[in-house]
Amino acid sequence: MNKRVIIIAVAALIVLAAVFMNMRGEKKPTLYVYNWGDYIDEDVIGKFEKEYDVRVVYDTFSTNEDMYVKITSGGSKYDVLFPSDYMIKRMIDEGLLEKINLDNVPNEKYIDSRFKNLEHDPNNEYSIPYMWGTLGILYNKKMVTDPVESWDILWNPKYRKQILMVDSQRDAIGIALQKLGYSLNSVNPTELEAAKQELIKQKEMVLAYVIDEAKDKMIAGEAALAVVWSGDAVYAMRENPDLDYAVPKNGGNLWFDGMVIPKTTQNKELAELFINFMNEPEIALANAEYTGYSTPHLEARKMLPLELAGNKAAYPDDEDIANTEVFVHVGDMLREYDRIWTEVKAY
C-alpha cells in the first residue's frame, strides 16, 4: 500500500470516527496545538477542522523555554508543537517526543533536502521542518544614521532608550557572546560571565525587552532598533517602508523550526494528519505568505509572489548568512544560562 493510500485511509477513519461520535452525541476528535504567536495563517485551523470534521484547540507561546516549561510541568495534553532546532534536540534527548510515522505524512516529500538530516534530528525521525530564518536587527532608516553591520550598534549610547531587545535568554545571551567574538553556543564560564556583564551594561539603553510586540512598535515608530526574527522583519517592512533589516556581519542566528509530536499526545494519527495537512502546497504557501517566514517547502517556494520570494530578509543569499550560527543544546550548562538571564533581568 503506497503512502497516498495510507494517508487517505487514516483520514477516512478519523472522519468516520467523528461522524459516529456525532451520531451518538459525543464530542468531535480534538487536536491540541501549541505554536508561536503569529505563526500560522488565520484561516488554516478552520480549514483543517472543516475538512476533517474535528476540533482544534490552539494555544501560543513566546519562547522555546516557555513552551518547554509548559510541556514538562505536567497537565498539558498537546498533540503538535513547533519548537526550534536546539529545543527539538533537547526534547529528543529527554525522551519527550514521539517518532513520526512518515507513512502518515506523505507531503514530507515536498521538503527541500537542505532542511533534512540536520544536527538536531539527523535521521528525520522526530520533526518535520516548518519554517526557517535568521535573527537580526530591524531598524528605522530615518532614525538610525549609522551603518547597521554589527551587534555593537545595540550598545551605542546615541540610541539610548530607542532599542528593543529580545526577551529570550538564548537569543540575548547569544547576541552578547557574538558581540564579544565568542560562539553563541559557548559553555565557557568566563565567556558567559563576560556576556552577562555586556547585557547589564546595555540594560540602561534598552527601551523594553519584548518578543512579538517588537514588530508593532517598530511599525508605529516607537523605537529606532529592534532585535527580531526575519519573518517579523518582513511583516514590519511591508507595513512601514522606513524600516529595513540586517543580519550582523559579526554573527547572527540561523534557525530552523519544526513540527513535532510530544509524548503527551492523545491522538498521534490525528497529529500526523495535521502535520501532513500543513504541508499541502496551498496551505504551506498560505502560511509562508501570512507569516513572512522562509518556507522549506519546495512547491510553496515556487508559488511565492515575487516581492516575497525576492526579499533578502526572508530568503538571504549565502554570503549574507555566512557568519551565522545555529543554536545547539548546551546540556547541563543551561542552568548557567538560566542564572545569567535571571541576574540580568533582575539587575
Side-chain angles (χ1 to χ4, degrees):
M1 186 179 292
N2 65 38
K3 288 186 176 182
R4 180 174 176 80
V5 172
I6 291 172
I7 195 66
I8 291 172
V10 170
L13 287 172
I14 290 171
V15 172
L16 286 173
V19 171
F20 181 68
M21 284 191 292
N22 286 340
M23 290 174 61
R24 296 174 53 185
E26 297 177 11
K27 294 181 179 179
K28 296 179 180 180
T30 300
L31 182 77
Y32 293 85
V33 178
Y34 202 23
N35 195 3
W36 298 83
D38 297 327
Y39 211 30
I40 191 173
D41 182 278
E42 294 176 342
D43 296 329
V44 164
I45 294 298
K47 289 178 180 177
F48 180 74
E49 289 178 319
K50 183 177 180 180
E51 184 165 339
Y52 296 105
D53 194 26
V54 298
R55 173 174 172 257
V56 175
V57 175
Y58 187 85
D59 296 325
T60 63
F61 56 86
S62 296
T63 70
N64 282 291
E65 287 67 32
D66 289 344
M67 179 275 298
Y68 175 83
V69 169
K70 185 73 172 285
I71 296 300
T72 57
S73 60
S76 69
K77 49 184 177 181
Y78 292 109
D79 300 294
V80 180
L81 311 174
F82 290 72
S84 301
D85 34 47
Y86 72 95
M87 186 56 70
I88 293 173
K89 173 61 174 172
R90 179 181 185 182
M91 297 181 82
I92 292 172
D93 289 349
E94 295 180 9
L96 298 175
L97 301 182
E98 295 277 0
K99 289 186 177 181
I100 296 174
N101 181 357
L102 293 182
D103 286 338
N104 292 336
V105 191
N107 288 332
E108 185 266 349
K109 68 185 179 184
Y110 293 121
I111 300 299
D112 191 330
S113 60
R114 292 190 302 137
F115 302 99
K116 297 180 181 180
N117 305 109
L118 299 178
E119 185 175 350
H120 60 273
D121 187 11
N123 297 315
N124 307 303
E125 295 177 300
Y126 295 92
S127 64
I128 301 294
Y130 179 59
M131 297 286 181
W132 66 278
T134 58
L135 181 74
I137 301 172
L138 180 67
Y139 62 99
N140 190 308
K141 293 177 286 187
K142 290 187 175 180
M143 301 169 70
V144 177
T145 57
D146 301 282
V148 183
E149 299 178 340
S150 164
W151 292 124
D152 293 358
I153 198 168
L154 301 177
W155 276 258
N156 189 329
K158 182 190 298 186
Y159 304 107
R160 183 179 182 275
K161 296 304 180 184
Q162 298 181 65
I163 297 167
L164 297 172
M165 190 62 178
V166 62
D167 191 9
S168 167
Q169 69 168 44
R170 282 302 301 268
D171 296 292
I173 295 171
I175 287 169
L177 285 165
Q178 287 186 327
K179 176 182 182 291
L180 295 168
Y182 305 133
S183 168
L184 53 70
N185 294 305
S186 176
V187 293
N188 182 305
T190 301
E191 294 175 358
L192 288 169
E193 177 62 25
K196 184 186 85 170
Q197 294 304 322
E198 283 295 308
L199 291 171
I200 289 173
K201 186 190 306 181
Q202 182 203 34
K203 194 168 183 181
E204 62 93 18
M205 288 181 273
V206 172
L207 175 63
Y209 293 88
V210 292
I211 299 286
D212 293 331
E213 313 95 306
K215 61 181 181 294
D216 295 322
K217 289 181 179 294
M218 291 296 292
I219 291 168
E222 295 178 21
L225 300 134
V227 176
V228 302
W229 291 285
S230 50
D232 285 348
V234 171
Y235 173 84
M237 289 188 291
R238 282 194 301 223
E239 300 297 314
N240 185 341
D242 292 334
L243 301 178
D244 205 349
Y245 177 75
V247 177
K249 294 179 180 179
N250 61 334
N253 168 227
L254 178 66
W255 53 263
F256 309 96
D257 289 347
M259 293 177 281
V260 303
I261 301 174
K263 292 285 187 179
T264 55
T265 184
Q266 301 296 305
N267 196 333
K268 185 170 181 284
E269 287 187 348
L270 184 57
E272 290 166 342
L273 186 66
F274 177 77
I275 292 173
N276 190 66
F277 179 79
M278 291 287 279
N279 279 294
E280 290 287 345
E282 295 78 10
I283 298 300
L285 173 65
N287 286 329
E289 287 190 283
Y290 177 85
T291 66
Y293 283 100
S294 313
T295 180
H297 194 287
L298 290 168
E299 292 303 309
R301 177 75 187 270
K302 292 177 185 176
M303 295 186 287
L304 285 173
L306 183 60
E307 62 268 21
L308 183 54
N311 190 311
K312 288 289 193 74
Y315 298 95
D317 295 330
D318 289 345
E319 57 265 29
D320 295 329
I321 56 175
N323 294 323
T324 58
E325 292 181 89
V326 178
F327 280 122
V328 300
H329 177 37
V330 294
D332 291 342
M333 282 300 292
L334 186 61
R335 289 193 294 269
E336 188 70 3
Y337 276 78
D338 291 339
R339 179 189 67 77
I340 288 170
W341 189 234
T342 298
E343 291 178 5
V344 168
K345 294 297 291 290
Y347 186 82

